[in-house]
Amino acid sequence: MRKPIIAGNWKLNKTISESTELATQLAHSLSDINDREIVIAPIFTCLAATAAAIDNSPIQLAAQNCYPETSGAFTGEISPYFLQDVGCQYVIIGHSERRQLLLETDALINKKLHTAFTTELKIILCIGETLDQRDSGQMLSVLEQQIKGGLANVTAAQMNSVVIAYEPVWAIGTGKTATTEQAQEAHQFIRNLLQQLFNLEVASQIRILYGGSVKPDNVDALMKQEDIDGALVGGASLKAEDFVRIVRFN
Ligand code: PEP
């Protein structure tokens, strides 16, 4: 059985006091959860305060990005080593907003993964096609390229610390969710590809999250799909009530 993960990506939102307030509410409301992992990803400046707010709760801390070097003359950057130092258990890598706005390539994303592997951080690797790519029939080849590029030279053992998030770009922040069939098709494709690239054990153990306008009213149907092992949630993770309901999917 794969333990589901519900991860909240707070993006560029919430001050230190707002992050602390939300994290404290979540820690209180979700203290009984042990059959699924809960992860929240505040902005860098809020990581320390959020770590303190969720201490002794089942909630884990993630960063939204990292630099592909450990330390040195890289002004303004933050590495997996320092994310672990501040209390993160996870790092999100390759979010589509960074691929689009900051022109992150699969090669750069792959380098970030390899640097994160030198720490104990677990990685949420985001992939997903744009609407143009889907409409022109390139969805599967785009996913294949992102998986092969992002996971280049990664070993089966290293895959133990990787989670994949399938996030169709056209569904992120748009209110348009992939249908359960569309999501399941992509997840099954990704799992089969991982079996080819690694082995059956990796494919059957890896968690593949769905992301793209997950809300309290669509989470239950999505989570019933065989190959969907959780969700990466943007907008709806900013409200305690909504995120709690999503974590408590049934
Ligand atoms: C995301 O940021 O990863 C995301 C899926 O956002 P939203 O839930 O707002 O679509």
Side-chain angles (χ1 to χ4, degrees), residues 79 181 232 248:
S79 77
E181 292 77 16
L232 181 54
R248 294 188 184 280

Side-chain angles (χ1 to χ4, degrees), residues 9 11 95 167 171-173 211-214 232-235:
N9 172 15
K11 309 195 188 193
H95 193 280
E167 301 202 296
I172 296 182
S213 299
V214 174
L232 181 54
V233 186

Side-chain angles (χ1 to χ4, degrees), residues 74-93:
F74 305 107
T75 303
E77 294 300 333
I78 181 87
S79 77
Y81 174 80
F82 292 101
L83 294 176
Q84 184 171 288
D85 185 51
V86 76
C88 289
Q89 287 85 22
Y90 274 94
V91 60
I92 298 171
I93 297 181

Side-chain angles (χ1 to χ4, degrees), residues 2 17 23 27 38 48 74 86 99-100 106 108 160 179 204 233:
R2 297 183 291 265
S17 64
I38 312 161
F74 305 107
V86 76
R99 291 177 187 261
Q100 289 197 310
D106 290 320
L108 176 68
N160 281 330
T179 63
S204 54
V233 186

